[in-house]
Amino acid sequence: MGIRIQQAEQRDRELVVSVMEEAFHDDPVSSWVFPDEAHRRAVHGRFLGVFVDVALAEGRIDIAEDEAAVALWLQVPAGAPEEEDPTPALMRQTADPDNERCELVGRLTGAIHPHDRAHAYLLMIGVRPERQGEGIGAELIGAELERCDREGLPAYLEASSARSRVLYERLGFRFSRAVDLPDGPPMYPMWREPHAR
C-alpha cells in the first residue's frame, strides 16, 4: 500500500482527537469507562485529548496522509520512573471528575508497564471506522517498528480488544498476561522484541 505519514503538530490536535473519538467510540475499554453512550459522546474527546496532549508534548503523533489514522508514540527510557505519573489523575480531572474509571484504567496499565529496558511505547492508535480492515493501522505502526528493528529497540502497547490483539500479534507483538478491569473487559499488554534485519 505504501501510505505516506506526516508528524502531527499542535495545530493538528483537534484532528487527532476526532480520529481517536471515532475509532474508540465503540471500543470495549472506552465503553467500560463511559457505559452511557450519550455521556461517552459528550466527554470522550476530553478523555482522549489527554493522551494526545501527552504525545504532542513528550513523544510523537503520526498521521496517515489521508487523515484516516493516527498513532501516538512515546519513547520510554530504562529504569523505574522517579515520580508517580500524573496522567491517570489528569484523565479523570479533565474528562469526568466523578468517574473513577477514568483514572483507574491508567493506574492499572501503568502498574504493569515494563521499565527494565528502553522501548517505543504505542500509547494509542486509531483508524476511522469506515477505513478499518484496510491495513492502514498496520502500515502506520510498521513504519515505527522498522526503526525499532534498525536500532535494536523493543516496542510495547496495551491492546484494548481481542480483535486488535490479533493484529498486533501479526506484527510480532507477544501477549503476556491480561489486565482485568473490574467488572469490565480485559486489556492485553504486549511486547515486541526487535527483529533481526
Side-chain angles (χ1 to χ4, degrees), residues 14-24 48 63 67-70 126-129:
E14 294 313 310
L15 164 69
V16 175
V17 170
S18 75
V19 174
M20 299 297 289
E21 271 188 290
E22 288 183 36
F24 283 89
L48 295 168
I63 304 175
E67 301 178 353
V70 297
V127 179
R128 293 188 191 274

Side-chain angles (χ1 to χ4, degrees), residues 104-120:
L104 185 59
V105 68
R107 295 225 178 273
L108 291 173
T109 54
I112 63 151
H113 193 120
H115 288 285
D116 55 327
R117 293 166 63 194
H119 57 276

Side-chain angles (χ1 to χ4, degrees), residues 83-126:
E83 51 192 48
E84 183 177 318
D85 182 2
T87 307
L90 185 60
M91 289 155 53
R92 180 177 182 174
Q93 175 189 341
T94 302
D96 198 0
D98 294 328
N99 182 352
E100 70 177 343
R101 290 180 177 183
C102 289
E103 184 172 345
L104 185 59
V105 68
R107 295 225 178 273
L108 291 173
T109 54
I112 63 151
H113 193 120
H115 288 285
D116 55 327
R117 293 166 63 194
H119 57 276
Y121 176 31
L122 179 59
L123 182 60
M124 298 187 89
I125 181 169

Side-chain angles (χ1 to χ4, degrees), residues 1-172:
M1 189 193 277
I3 62 168
R4 286 181 30 201
I5 298 167
Q6 65 185 39
Q7 287 192 16
E9 298 178 13
Q10 188 63 43
R11 68 172 186 242
D12 300 309
R13 182 188 186 276
E14 294 313 310
L15 164 69
V16 175
V17 170
S18 75
V19 174
M20 299 297 289
E21 271 188 290
E22 288 183 36
F24 283 89
H25 182 75
D26 294 317
D27 179 79
V29 174
S30 290
S31 297
W32 174 80
V33 174
F34 307 108
D36 179 80
E37 186 174 7
H39 183 65
R40 186 182 331 134
R41 195 168 299 284
V43 301
H44 203 207
R46 295 199 300 265
F47 179 76
L48 295 168
V50 174
F51 296 105
V52 174
D53 291 339
V54 167
L56 283 170
E58 301 174 20
R60 187 183 86 244
I61 299 176
D62 293 338
I63 304 175
E65 64 183 333
D66 60 358
E67 301 178 353
V70 297
L72 287 60
W73 289 97
L74 299 175
Q75 298 302 311
V76 178
E82 294 182 9
E83 51 192 48
E84 183 177 318
D85 182 2
T87 307
L90 185 60
M91 289 155 53
R92 180 177 182 174
Q93 175 189 341
T94 302
D96 198 0
D98 294 328
N99 182 352
E100 70 177 343
R101 290 180 177 183
C102 289
E103 184 172 345
L104 185 59
V105 68
R107 295 225 178 273
L108 291 173
T109 54
I112 63 151
H113 193 120
H115 288 285
D116 55 327
R117 293 166 63 194
H119 57 276
Y121 176 31
L122 179 59
L123 182 60
M124 298 187 89
I125 181 169
V127 179
R128 293 188 191 274
E130 68 273 14
R131 300 296 303 278
Q132 291 174 6
E134 296 180 17
I136 298 169
E139 279 207 56
L140 201 55
I141 297 170
E144 177 67 6
L145 296 182
E146 285 181 17
R147 183 189 72 83
C148 288
D149 291 345
R150 282 194 309 273
E151 298 179 9
L153 191 68
Y156 177 77
L157 57 80
E158 297 107 3
S160 60
S161 69
R163 179 175 176 238
S164 62
R165 174 184 163 179
V166 171
L167 165 69
Y168 301 134
E169 285 174 338
R170 287 199 306 261
L171 295 173

Side-chain angles (χ1 to χ4, degrees), residues 179-196:
V179 173
D180 291 313
L181 301 174
D183 300 317
M187 294 186 72
Y188 306 96
M190 303 183 78
W191 183 265
R192 181 187 185 271
E193 289 291 338
H195 293 185

